Amino acid sequence: MGILEVQNVGKRFGGLQALQDVNLSVKENTIHAIIGPNGAGKSTLLNCLVGKLIPDTGTVQFDGNSVLGRSPYEINQMGISRVFQTPEIFGDLTVMENMMIPIFAKRDGSFALDAISDFMKHKDILEAAEKVLEEMNMSNKRSMQASSMSRGDKRRLEIGMCLSQEPRLLLLDEPTAGMARADTNNTIDLLKQIGDERDITIAIIEHDMHVVFSLANRITVLAQGTPLVEDVPDKIKGHPKVKEAYLGETAH
Amino acid sequence: MDQIILQILNGLDKGSAYALIALGLTLIFGTLGVVNFAHGALFMLGAFCAITFSRILSLSKVVVDETQKDFLGNPLKVDVPYIYDWFGESAGQVLINWSVPLAILFAIPVMIIIGVVMERGLIKHFYKRPHADQILVTFGLAIVLQEIIKYYFGANQIPNPAPEAFIGSFDFGAAIGLKAGTIIYPYWRIVYFCFAMLLIGSVFAFLQFTTFGMVVRAGMADRETVELLGINIDKRFTIMFGVAAAVAGLAGVMYTPINPPNYHMGMDFLVISFVVVVVGGMGSLPGAVAAGLLLGILESFASMRQVIEALPGINQVVIYLAAIVILLTRPRGLMGRKGVMEE
Amino acid sequence: MMLGLNRKDASLLLIVAILVALAPIFLNPFPEQSGLAQFNAGYPDLMQRFVIFGIFAIGFNILFGLTGYLSFGHAAFLGAGSYAGVWMLKLLTINVIPAIIISTAVAGIFALIIGFISLRRSGIYFSILTLAFAQMSFALAASVLTPITGGETGLQTALDDPRILDGTNTTGNIPAPSIFGLQMGDSFQISVGGWLWTFNVGYYLSAIVMLSAFYLAIRIFRSPFGIMLRAIKSNQQRLNYTGLNTKPYMLACFVISGMYAGLAGGLMVSMDPLAGAERMQWTASGEVVLMTILGGVGTLIGPVLGAGLIKYFENIFSKINDNLLHKWFAFMPDGVEDFIVSIIYPFVGKGWHLTLGLIFMAVIIFLPGGLVELGQKVASIFKKKGSTPSNNPNTEPAE
Amino acid sequence: MTKTKLTRRSVMQTGAVAGAGLAVPTILTAGSHSGFANAPTGSSVTLGFNVPQSGPYADEGADELRAYKLAVEHLNGEGDGGMLQTFSSKALDGTGILGKKVEYVTGDTQTKPDAARASARSMIEKDGAIMITGGSSSGVAVAVQALCQEAGIIFMAGLTHSNDTTGKDKKANGFRHFFNSYMTGAALAPVLADRYGSDRKAYHLTADYNWGYTTEEAVRNSTEALGWETVAAVKTPLSQTDFSSYVAPVLNSGADVLVLNHYGGNMVNSLTSAVEFGLRAAQANGKNFEIVVPLYSRLMAKGAGKNVAGIFGTTGWHWSLENTAGSRYAGTNAFVKSFGEKYGFPPSQAAHTCYCQTLLYADAVQRGGSFNPCSVVEALEGFEFDGMGNGPTLYRAEDHQCIKDVLVVRGKENPANDFDLLELVDVTPAEAVTFDPAIFGGELGSCNPGA
C-alpha cells in the first residue's frame, strides 16, 4: 500500500479524454517520477492530486484518506506540498517572510486572526525559517525581495517553503523547466539531498529524461491519458512501449 | 401583451445606447487591455459635437430690428445665420433642421482625432501599469473633459431636436395587427435603434471581413505572435481606439434629440456601461451587445407600474441586481473568456 | 519598543501624533488679516474632516493596499455607519460614544453580508459587485427607505426625538452632540498676534480616535494577519497551496475595513448630526480610492495625506471666487490684473473640479506611488548629500 | 502667559485682534461681549452665499450668485439701488447694514447636503459669516437650515420648493421666501380645472425623493378636490435619464393628463420623452391629452426647448410680470433693469428669490437694530412688505414661510428670444394659497443666537 494511491481515475474535457483508468501507487520514501510525452495528461493528473481538478471517475487516496473534493489548502494540510512549474512565491515579500508564512500555516492551520502580534518577532518561527534557509544555502538573501532573485534561487526558495512544512509528500511539476544546465544540476543535487536526508516521499512530473534518470527510483510512463508501464529506471530505459510512445523523441 | 411589446421596444432602444458604449469600451479593453473610465466622456463629447455642429450651422450675424423691443425696452437684436446668406434662407433652414444626422459627418473625424490623440498622448503610457492606475488616470481625464465642456457650454441641458421629418411617432400596434394606438413609438427612437444596429453591424463586419480587422482580432487573441509576424500592431490598435471613440461619439450625437445633453451625461452612463461590459463578459464584443440589450429590456420591465407596485424600489436597483445575480452564477459574465481581468 | 512597535513605526506614530495635536496651529500659517488667510485650513470643520476621512482612507487601504482587492462600494459602509450613528443620537442619547460604537458595529455587519457575497469573485468582478451593492444601497436609501434614512434630505436629529437616556429637553433647541457635557462645537481659542488658533473638542475627539485607528493599522500591517493579506496580493495561489484558506482572511479584512468606514461615518455624524444618502454614492467610493492612491497605496501614512489633500481642495479651492482674486491681484495694473484673474479663475471656485482632475492625472502619471513617493524622492535628494549610500534594501512598506 | 478661554460654540472672527502686539497673546472676546455667534466687530459684515457651483444645478447657482452680488452692491450704495427704491420698508439707506459695509464669501453646495453643510460650516467657522443663504434644492435647504439653527446663524433659503423646508423640518433660524408644493397645488388646480375641465384623469410620474413626494401629494389633493381622478402615480428614480419606459404606457392607461413631478434635468428629460411619444398631440377619453409640470423654471424651459410650448405649471416670479400683470408687482422692473444692465439678460426666479432674501435680511437687521439672530427673527416674523415683485407679501411667524401670489404660467408657443419662454396665464392671489401652518407638523423651536 503506497502513501498515494490513485485508482481508476478518469477526466474528460469536452471531447477530449485527458485521463483514463489511471492507476498509480507511490510508495513511501521513494522518489517516483511520472513521465510522458506532451499531452499525455501529466498536468491534469497532478491537478487531480492537489485539488485543483476533480476527476470524473476513480479515487485518489493519500495515506488512506480521500483527497477528492478537498480544496488545495486542505490537501496541503494533509501533508502534500506542491512545487510549481514556474516558481510560485510571494514576490512582493522578503525571502524571510516567504519562508515564515508556511511555518505559520503549519502551526496555526488554515486561518488564524492574529492581527496584533509582530510577525517578525515570533522567535520560534524565525528560528525554524532560519534553519531551512541555511539548508537551502540562502541565509545571506534573507532580506531580499523575493521577486528580485534569479530563477534558480526562486526555485530553491519555493522548495524550501514546501520543506519547511515538513510534508510527507512533495509534488514537483517539471521543477527544472526553463532552467540553465548548471541550475538544473543544482536542483537535482538539492532534491537528491532532500530525498536522502529527510523522511519524505517525492513525486515528480518531468519531461527531461536527464533529470528523471538521475533522481527517480521508480518511474511511471503516461501516454494518451493512460499509464503505459511502471518500473524501476533501468527497466524503463529500454522498454519498447516507452520508445514507441516517445517515437522520434528519444531521451535527451 | 401590448404593454410587454412596448417595454421590449423601449428596452431595445435604451439597451442599444448601452450596447454602443459598452461595445467601444470592450474594443478598447480587448485590443489595448486598458480599462477606460473616460469612455462615458467620449459619449458626452459626441453629443457636444452635435451641439457644436448645430451652433456652427447657426453662426449668426446680429441685425438690429427697430420694430421689436427686448426685455429692457431696447431695440431687439435679431440673429441671422450666415448660412442663410450662403445657401439662401430655405436651404439654410433645411440644413439647420437636419443638423443632427449631418453632425455624424462632423463627429466621425473629430472623434477619431480625439481618440487617437488620447491614445497616443496618454493611454499608451499606461499599457504596462496596473488596471487601477488606468482606471484612475482615465477617471481624472473624464473629470477634466467634462469640466472643460461645462466651462464652455454651461451646466444646463441644451435642446437639440431631431429633423422635423422624424418628429412624431409610428403606430407599431396597427402595423403588427393590434388595435391602433396601443403601441406607438417615436420615429427618432426607431431611427436610433436602427442606427445602433447598423453601427454595431459595421464594427463587426469591419473586424470580421477586412484584413485590418483580422489582424486586430488576431492581435486581441495573441499580440506577441502578430508582432513576430512583423506587423505593427500598435498602429492598428491606435486606430481601433479612434474607432471606439467614434462609436461612442456617434452614439452621443444621435442621442441628443432623445435627451438634451449636458456635461455630466457621460458620468451618468459610465457606471451602467461598466456593469454592461462586465455582465457581458470582459473582452467579449457580442457579450457587450447582448448584455446592453438585455439590461435595457430588464430596466424597462422593472419600470412598469405593476412591477413597481409589487416590488417597491425595484426600478432603482434592477440593473445592479441583475449584475450581481449574473456574476454569482456565471463567474465570467455572459460570454466572458477565462482568465481575463481576474487578478 | 514603544507600544509594541518597532523604532521606525513608533517614530512615525509619534510624528503623526504631534502633527495632529498641533494641527490647529500649523494649519493656520497665515495671519487672519492677510490676503493669504484664505488658504488657512485650521478651522474645526475642515480639521475634523481631515482626520475623519483619514480614518476612512486608512481602513480602505487595509483592504486595497494589503490585498489589492479594489472595492468600489466602500462608501456604503460609511453611509450605513452614519445612519446608525444618527439613530443612536435620536433614540438613545446625544452623547456621541454609543453612536460611534454602534455605527462601527453596524457597518461591520453590513460589510460581513456584502463581503461574504462579493468575495466569491476577484479582480474587476469583485469591484463591480461591491459597486453594485453600494449603488443599490444609495438608490434605496434616497427613495423607498426614506422613513429610515430621511431620503434625499438626509436623516437628522429633531426636537421631538425620544433620547431615552437624556431626560426631557426643555431648551427649545435640539441638543448638540456632546461627550459627557462637552459639546463637539466647543473650542478653546488663542489669539497670538495676528494669528488665531482654535482648539476644538470635536476635532480632538476625532483626532484621538484617528490616532488609535492609525496605531491599530500599523499593528495590522506588521502582524501575521497583515503579512498573510500581503501574501494574498502577492500570490493567492501559493497561499492556497501553503495550507491557508484565503477566504476567511479576505472576509476578515473586508469587515475590518468596513468597520473603519463605519467608524468614520459615526464620527462624521457626531461632529455634524446629519446623514445624507449621497454619502453612499459610487462617486463617494471613488473619492476614497483617489485619496488612497493620491497619498500612496499600501503605505501607512499615504491615505491620511491623500484624504487631507482632497478635502483641502474641496473646501478651500472651491471658495476662491473672482472677488477674492481681484483683491489679491489688486496691486497689479488693471489690464494685467484682469488678465491674471481670467487665467486663474477657471481653475478655482466653481472650477475646482478641473484642478482636482488635473492633479489626479499628474500624480498618477508622474508619481504612481503618490505623495509618499514624492516625499521619498525629496528625502533621497537631501540624503545623497554627505551620507554614504546604504545598501540595506528597503522592502518593508514605506511609511 | 497665554490666556485662554472656553467658548460655547466655535466663535471665530476675522479682524477681532487687529492691532494686537505680536508677542502678546490676546483673548478673543467678540462672542462673549455681544452674546451671539460671529458678531461683526469691524467696519464690515460678512454674508455667506452657498450656491451650487458644480453639479447639475450649476447654472441656476451661477444666476443666484449674480443676484447676490447685485444685492450686495445695492446694499452698499453702489449701482442703481434696484428694489431698494420700490421696497416698502425704507430702513435700508445704501450704507451697508447698520453702517457696516457688506462683504461676502461664496461656497459650493454641489447640490449635496453633505457638501453644502461643509461649505456652510466653513463660512461660519472660518470666514465668520453672520448669515447663510442660497441653495437650489430642498435637500440642501433642509440640511443647511438645521446646521444654521445649531450654529446660531440665520439661514435665508434660496430656491427650495418642498413643503418640508418650512413644514416638518422648519427651524426658528430659517426663512423661506420661495413658495412651496402645497401652494403650487392650490394655485394650479383651479386653473387646470378651468382650462381642461373637472372630469380629468391624471397620471403622475414622480421623482422618487422628498420633493417629488410632497409635490405629488399637493397636486393630487388639490386636483382631486376639484373632481379629477388619479389613475396612477409612478415613482421614477432620481438618477433616471431616459424616461421612455415610464412615459410609454401612459397613453393606454386611461389617463388624459400627465403630471410630471420632476425638476431640473429630470423634468427636461421626462418632458422631452413625453412629447416624443406623441402625448401632446394625442387624444384620450375624447379630449386632448395634456401635460402639466407643477414647478417651472426658465432654465428648465430652456433645456426642454420647443417641448414646453403650451404646458402649464407654476413659478414664483417672472421677469415680465410687472409688464404683463400690472403695478401690483412693482419692483420687478427695477430688479430686471439693474440685473439686465449688469449681466445682459433677465434674471431667473432663483435669482429673484435670492436677491429678495438678502434685502429682507438686511432690512430686518436694520429694523431690529442688531445682527443678533433673535432680533432678526423677531423683525421678520409677521413682517408684511411690498414692492419686491410679488405684490403684498407676509413673512408668516408660525412657519417662517412667505405668503404671496403664485403665478400659473404656460410655455410659449413662439418665443421671441431665449428668455421669453413662459407666458403668464393667471395669478393666484395669496389668500387662495394660504394654508394652515400646522398641517405639516414639525416644530419651529426657538431662535438660537449661538454664543
Side-chain angles (χ1 to χ4, degrees):
Chain A
M1 187 72 181
I3 190 167
L4 184 71
E5 287 288 333
V6 178
Q7 277 170 354
N8 299 326
V9 161
K11 178 79 191 170
R12 205 179 172 83
F13 296 108
L16 176 76
Q17 187 76 41
L19 295 176
Q20 194 167 19
D21 290 332
V22 179
N23 288 291
L24 184 70
S25 173
V26 178
K27 300 273 178 308
E28 200 152 4
N29 289 335
T30 56
I31 300 185
H32 193 130
I34 298 155
I35 62 170
N38 281 331
K42 296 185 304 261
S43 298
T44 311
L45 177 60
L46 185 74
N47 281 331
C48 287
L49 300 184
V50 294
K52 202 170 186 185
L53 287 176
I54 298 175
D56 304 329
T57 60
T59 60
V60 180
Q61 288 199 321
F62 178 71
D63 206 16
N65 299 312
S66 173
V67 304
L68 297 186
R70 293 178 197 257
S71 17
Y73 75 88
E74 288 171 318
I75 290 170
N76 171 280
Q77 288 183 341
M78 293 168 76
I80 302 179
S81 273
R82 177 182 179 179
V83 175
F84 288 80
Q85 197 167 349
T86 37
E88 294 277 357
I89 51 172
F90 305 115
D92 300 341
L93 306 183
T94 64
V95 170
M96 192 54 158
E97 285 166 334
N98 267 277
M99 198 55 91
M100 287 168 76
I101 288 173
I103 305 177
F104 265 101
K106 181 80 184 169
R107 191 192 72 181
D108 294 344
S110 61
F111 173 70
L113 185 61
D114 180 356
I116 297 300
S117 72
D118 191 330
F119 185 78
M120 297 305 281
K121 284 190 183 151
H122 288 263
K123 281 241 164 56
D124 47 335
I125 285 163
L126 216 52
E127 276 164 17
E130 197 72 59
K131 221 178 104 200
V132 184
L133 279 181
E134 246 165 60
E135 198 179 335
M136 293 292 118
N137 213 356
M138 302 182 81
S139 296
N140 56 338
K141 300 197 164 104
R142 68 162 70 78
S143 40
M144 265 178 91
Q145 190 176 332
S147 60
S148 62
M149 297 194 303
S150 74
R151 195 180 170 114
D153 279 344
K154 286 179 183 164
R155 168 65 71 221
R156 290 178 90 79
L157 176 61
E158 192 186 19
I159 293 174
M161 287 162 73
C162 289
L163 287 182
S164 72
Q165 296 191 307
E166 294 170 357
R168 299 186 56 204
L169 173 65
L170 187 64
L171 282 176
L172 296 111
D173 186 3
E174 303 200 21
T176 59
M179 270 189 194
R181 192 43 113 181
D183 274 338
T184 305
N185 288 335
N186 280 338
T187 310
I188 293 173
D189 291 345
L190 179 69
L191 290 172
K192 261 188 185 155
Q193 187 194 342
I194 293 164
D196 292 344
E197 291 175 4
R198 284 177 178 250
D199 190 17
I200 193 170
T201 313
I202 298 176
I204 176 165
I205 281 177
E206 188 51 84
H207 191 77
D208 185 336
M209 291 301 160
H210 166 67
V211 178
V212 173
F213 288 109
S214 2
L215 268 176
N217 33 40
R218 211 164 171 82
I219 295 174
T220 301
V221 182
L222 213 59
Q224 287 164 343
T226 287
L228 228 46
V229 275
E230 184 188 326
D231 217 326
V232 293
D234 288 346
K235 293 265 177 72
I236 295 289
K237 264 184 187 161
H239 205 289
K241 276 192 175 173
V242 179
K243 275 190 176 160
E244 192 192 319
Y246 275 87
L247 196 67
E249 206 189 323
T250 43
H252 20 225
Chain B
M1 183 59 200
D2 47 337
Q3 290 297 307
I4 289 173
I5 296 175
L6 195 55
Q7 292 302 2
I8 290 177
L9 276 177
N10 265 317
L12 285 176
D13 197 57
K14 199 178 321 196
S16 54
Y18 295 160
L20 280 181
I21 304 175
L23 181 70
L25 262 177
T26 306
L27 268 182
I28 293 175
F29 179 77
T31 50
L32 308 170
V34 170
V35 181
N36 181 18
F37 256 54
H39 205 68
L42 292 173
F43 175 68
M44 181 268 297
L45 286 180
F48 278 90
C49 274
I51 300 289
T52 310
F53 186 69
S54 106
R55 290 207 174 160
I56 291 173
L57 286 185
S58 348
L59 262 185
S60 303
K61 58 181 176 193
V62 175
V63 178
V64 176
D65 183 352
E66 295 287 351
T67 60
Q68 294 186 62
K69 303 274 182 230
D70 74 356
F71 72 98
L72 288 174
N74 301 322
L76 188 67
K77 299 187 181 83
V78 181
D79 296 337
V80 179
Y82 286 114
I83 203 162
Y84 289 3
D85 291 357
W86 302 335
F87 297 98
E89 189 160 339
S90 57
Q93 269 168 351
V94 169
L95 280 176
I96 291 176
N97 184 17
W98 282 81
S99 81
V100 175
L102 290 173
I104 292 175
L105 303 176
F106 171 74
I108 290 176
V110 172
M111 292 308 297
I112 289 180
I113 290 168
I114 290 175
V116 168
V117 168
M118 224 170 110
E119 199 272 341
R120 287 289 91 184
L122 181 72
I123 309 284
K124 99 173 169 189
H125 304 290
F126 278 79
Y127 291 154
K128 299 233 157 61
R129 302 271 291 268
H131 285 307
D133 283 8
Q134 299 170 352
I135 289 177
L136 287 162
V137 83
T138 48
F139 185 57
L141 181 67
I143 294 175
V144 170
L145 289 177
Q146 73 172 25
E147 289 301 313
I148 291 172
I149 291 294
K150 183 182 144 197
Y151 187 78
Y152 286 103
F153 291 90
N156 207 26
Q157 290 175 292
I158 301 169
N160 198 33
E164 263 159 45
F166 290 110
I167 288 175
S169 40
F170 173 66
D171 196 332
F172 216 83
I176 58 169
L178 288 169
K179 197 159 76 78
T182 48
I183 307 174
I184 61 165
Y185 208 70
Y187 286 128
W188 185 256
R189 285 180 185 259
I190 296 169
V191 169
Y192 191 83
F193 178 72
C194 297
F195 175 77
M197 290 303 122
L198 199 68
L199 197 54
I200 291 169
S202 17
V203 169
F204 276 98
F206 177 66
L207 288 175
Q208 205 68 40
F209 302 122
T210 63
T211 348
F212 186 97
M214 281 195 273
V215 173
V216 169
R217 273 191 303 135
M220 280 168 88
D222 186 350
R223 183 188 177 118
E224 278 171 23
T225 309
V226 176
E227 273 172 332
L228 282 177
L229 294 173
I231 295 169
N232 184 352
I233 195 77
D234 269 4
K235 202 163 147 194
R236 286 161 203 261
F237 280 1
T238 306
I239 294 171
M240 280 319 288
F241 199 100
V243 170
V247 170
L250 293 186
V253 168
M254 296 294 279
Y255 203 68
T256 50
I258 294 179
N259 274 350
N262 59 1
Y263 76 101
H264 60 89
M265 66 189 288
M267 286 287 179
D268 296 343
F269 272 86
L270 181 66
V271 172
I272 298 269
S273 38
F274 261 93
V275 170
V276 169
V277 170
V278 171
V279 166
M282 285 307 272
S284 160
L285 296 174
V289 175
L293 296 175
L294 187 75
L295 290 181
I297 292 173
L298 254 181
E299 207 187 359
S300 286
F301 278 124
S303 59
M304 285 169 76
R305 182 153 53 95
Q306 296 82 348
V307 178
I308 300 174
E309 276 163 8
L311 295 164
I314 185 72
N315 52 343
Q316 302 262 10
V317 298
V318 65
I319 286 214
Y320 303 110
L321 215 53
I324 291 169
V325 169
I326 287 179
L327 287 183
L328 290 179
T329 51
R330 293 190 62 92
R332 275 170 272 276
L334 291 175
M335 302 184 185
R337 284 179 312 194
K338 199 174 155 109
V340 179
M341 280 296 279
E342 289 184 338
E343 296 309 321
Chain C
M1 278 293 145
M2 192 181 98
L3 296 167
L5 300 180
N6 64 39
R7 163 173 289 186
K8 215 171 134 198
D9 291 338
S11 45
L12 175 67
L13 182 64
L14 195 68
I15 291 170
V16 173
I18 293 171
L19 288 181
V20 165
L22 299 180
I25 295 174
F26 73 80
L27 284 180
N28 264 359
F30 306 108
E32 288 299 293
Q33 293 297 304
S34 71
L36 292 175
Q38 180 62 36
F39 291 106
N40 282 345
Y43 60 98
D45 179 61
L46 188 53
M47 290 193 297
Q48 288 164 6
R49 263 165 223 280
F50 283 162
V51 288
I52 292 171
F53 278 93
I55 294 171
F56 187 24
I58 291 170
F60 181 76
N61 189 42
I62 290 176
L63 178 67
F64 181 48
L66 288 180
T67 70
Y69 275 60
L70 180 57
S71 161
F72 244 101
H74 241 54
F77 308 126
L78 184 87
S82 302
Y83 286 126
V86 177
W87 274 114
M88 286 303 112
L89 295 175
K90 285 167 84 72
L91 298 177
L92 214 55
T93 166
I94 202 69
N95 190 323
V96 299
I97 291 186
I100 293 171
I101 294 170
I102 297 293
S103 47
T104 313
V106 166
I109 295 166
F110 201 45
L112 186 69
I113 298 166
I114 292 183
F116 184 78
I117 300 170
S118 304
L119 285 168
R120 296 161 65 96
R121 299 285 170 258
S122 58
I124 199 160
Y125 299 103
F126 168 79
S127 304
I128 294 286
L129 280 173
T130 50
L131 174 73
F133 277 113
Q135 281 293 86
M136 278 167 58
S137 312
F138 160 67
L140 294 178
S143 58
V144 285
L145 294 179
T146 297
I148 305 172
T149 60
E152 178 248 7
T153 46
L155 186 67
Q156 319 183 24
T157 50
L159 265 179
D160 53 2
D161 288 334
R163 272 184 280 279
I164 47 177
L165 296 182
D166 288 359
T168 45
N169 167 31
T170 51
T171 58
N173 267 311
I174 304 169
S178 61
I179 182 164
F180 306 119
L182 216 50
Q183 289 185 8
M184 293 297 120
D186 288 349
S187 302
F188 276 107
Q189 290 190 319
I190 307 178
S191 173
V192 178
W195 284 267
L196 180 66
W197 300 323
T198 307
F199 301 91
N200 169 268
V201 172
Y203 168 69
Y204 279 101
L205 175 70
S206 312
I208 291 166
V209 176
M210 192 277 257
L211 286 173
S212 325
F214 187 56
Y215 169 71
L216 188 65
I218 300 180
R219 295 300 294 254
I220 290 174
F221 265 61
R222 303 289 181 240
S223 72
F225 177 66
I227 302 284
M228 298 309 165
L229 296 178
R230 287 171 57 204
I232 288 176
K233 181 180 187 176
S234 186
N235 192 336
Q236 191 156 356
Q237 164 136 304
R238 171 38 80 199
L239 202 61
N240 272 322
Y241 283 95
T242 306
L244 286 161
N245 186 359
T246 51
K247 277 189 181 144
Y249 279 100
M250 281 308 309
L251 189 57
C253 175
F254 194 81
V255 171
I256 291 175
S257 178
M259 287 171 78
Y260 266 78
L263 174 65
L267 275 173
M268 269 170 98
V269 297
S270 299
M271 300 305 120
D272 185 3
L274 173 127
E278 85 281 355
R279 226 170 251 187
M280 295 178 139
Q281 214 174 350
W282 77 274
T283 43
S285 299
E287 194 182 60
V288 74
V289 181
L290 296 174
M291 286 172 178
T292 311
I293 298 217
L294 209 52
V297 190
T299 65
L300 285 167
I301 192 70
V304 183
L305 296 177
L309 189 72
I310 288 191
K311 287 293 140 187
Y312 186 82
F313 257 88
E314 182 176 339
N315 287 280
I316 302 294
F317 270 62
S318 68
K319 285 182 64 195
I320 300 174
N321 54 39
D322 51 346
N323 193 29
L324 210 56
L325 285 177
H326 279 291
K327 250 187 222 171
W328 288 346
F329 297 105
F331 64 91
M332 292 178 164
D334 270 0
V336 182
E337 179 190 331
D338 289 344
F339 178 70
I340 299 256
V341 168
S342 66
I343 293 220
I344 297 176
Y345 188 52
F347 296 95
V348 296
K350 63 183 177 181
W352 68 273
H353 272 120
L354 179 60
T355 315
L356 199 63
L358 290 169
I359 286 185
F360 286 152
M361 290 179 67
V363 166
I364 294 154
I365 294 169
F366 301 112
L367 284 174
L371 295 176
V372 168
E373 185 185 333
L374 179 70
Q376 283 166 341
K377 278 188 177 161
V378 172
S380 71
I381 290 169
F382 284 106
K383 268 186 193 157
K384 269 179 196 157
K385 293 173 186 167
S387 71
T388 52
S390 71
N391 52 359
N392 176 27
N394 180 12
T395 53
E396 291 185 26
E399 47 286 354
Chain D
M1 259 314 278
T2 305
K3 285 176 273 179
T4 61
K5 180 179 178 324
L6 177 65
T7 60
R8 302 301 295 180
R9 311 246 63 81
S10 41
V11 187
M12 211 167 181
Q13 183 51 55
T14 53
V17 287
L22 267 178
V24 187
T26 329
I27 316 166
L28 193 90
T29 54
S32 53
H33 274 305
S34 54
F36 61 93
N38 284 348
T41 52
S43 58
S44 66
V45 58
T46 306
L47 308 183
F49 300 145
N50 204 17
V51 300
Q53 300 192 43
S54 54
Y57 297 121
D59 283 0
E60 207 151 53
D63 218 35
E64 292 184 351
L65 209 49
R66 288 183 198 110
Y68 284 130
K69 288 178 182 166
L70 195 66
V72 168
E73 271 182 22
H74 293 168
L75 287 174
N76 286 335
E78 296 157 22
D80 61 7
M83 279 194 195
L84 283 183
Q85 307 148 5
T86 56
F87 187 23
S88 57
S89 166
K90 298 293 170 201
L92 293 165
D93 52 8
T95 58
I97 310 177
L98 289 181
K100 291 181 196 293
K101 185 170 186 281
V102 180
E103 288 183 351
Y104 66 90
V105 287
T106 55
D108 181 9
T109 66
Q110 304 177 41
T111 313
K112 295 177 184 168
D114 261 351
R117 267 166 89 110
S119 91
R121 278 186 73 183
S122 135
M123 291 191 241
I124 295 168
E125 293 175 357
K126 179 183 171 156
D127 305 307
I130 181 79
M131 181 274 274
I132 302 291
T133 174
S136 84
S137 84
S138 295
V140 164
V142 166
V144 176
Q145 178 165 275
L147 174 86
C148 289
Q149 177 71 29
E150 199 196 313
I153 298 291
I154 289 287
F155 175 65
M156 305 294 282
L159 195 145
T160 155
H161 181 255
S162 169
N163 291 343
D164 296 348
T165 313
T166 51
K168 80 174 173 55
D169 293 318
K170 57 175 165 272
K171 294 283 183 295
N173 281 27
F175 291 86
R176 168 162 69 179
H177 175 264
F178 207 63
F179 65 126
N180 69 7
S181 301
Y182 178 93
M183 292 153 94
T184 286
L188 197 53
V191 179
L192 292 179
D194 180 46
R195 302 290 167 119
Y196 299 153
S198 59
D199 59 340
R200 282 281 185 165
K201 293 186 166 57
Y203 192 108
H204 285 255
L205 286 181
T206 303
D208 201 349
Y209 71 105
N210 303 50
W211 173 79
Y213 307 155
T214 68
T215 305
E216 180 196 311
E217 193 192 351
V219 177
R220 270 180 85 155
N221 289 346
S222 40
T223 49
E224 283 172 12
L226 293 174
W228 283 29
E229 193 184 314
T230 304
V231 175
V234 178
K235 305 246 184 318
T236 64
L238 187 53
S239 57
Q240 194 73 30
T241 50
D242 183 354
F243 288 86
S244 59
S245 56
Y246 295 93
V247 167
V250 173
L251 207 53
N252 294 321
S253 65
D256 46 36
V257 177
L258 173 65
V259 182
L260 295 172
N261 298 306
H262 289 145
Y263 189 71
N266 270 345
M267 175 267 181
V268 171
N269 292 337
S270 65
L271 181 60
T272 308
S273 285
V275 173
E276 225 194 338
F277 272 82
L279 294 187
R280 283 294 285 134
Q283 298 269 323
N285 305 332
K287 309 181 186 80
N288 281 333
F289 198 97
E290 304 292 349
I291 302 174
V292 176
V293 176
L295 180 61
Y296 248 131
S297 88
R298 201 191 70 222
L299 285 170
M300 277 154 54
K302 193 172 162 190
K306 284 182 181 154
N307 295 329
V308 298
I311 286 170
F312 279 84
T314 62
T315 184
W317 177 82
H318 195 250
W319 59 268
S320 63
L321 189 55
E322 192 171 347
N323 296 338
T324 48
S327 62
R328 177 176 165 89
Y329 302 104
T332 297
N333 283 354
F335 177 51
V336 173
K337 181 162 172 286
S338 20
F339 192 99
E341 277 172 358
K342 190 168 159 88
Y343 301 114
F345 45 86
S348 62
Q349 61 173 346
H352 169 254
T353 213
C354 289
Y355 178 88
C356 290
Q357 284 282 67
T358 315
L359 259 49
L360 284 166
Y361 169 80
D363 175 69
V365 172
Q366 196 86 16
R367 283 186 292 113
S370 165
F371 285 99
N372 189 327
C374 288
S375 155
V376 175
V377 169
E378 201 187 320
L380 277 177
E381 281 186 347
F383 178 51
E384 288 182 59
F385 59 93
D386 198 355
M388 294 194 106
N390 292 110
T393 308
L394 163 70
Y395 238 130
R396 205 153 66 166
E398 293 83 354
D399 57 357
H400 294 186
Q401 169 68 48
C402 266
I403 303 293
K404 53 192 168 64
D405 297 355
V406 174
L407 317 181
V408 178
V409 292
R410 181 168 56 192
K412 262 199 177 168
E413 296 285 350
N414 288 309
N417 56 53
D418 259 4
F419 317 110
D420 184 29
L421 302 173
L422 304 177
E423 63 180 324
L424 189 65
V425 176
D426 199 0
V427 173
T428 312
E431 308 81 66
V433 297
T434 308
F435 56 95
D436 176 1
I439 57 174
F440 298 124
E443 278 182 80
L444 207 50
S446 46
C447 75
N448 179 12

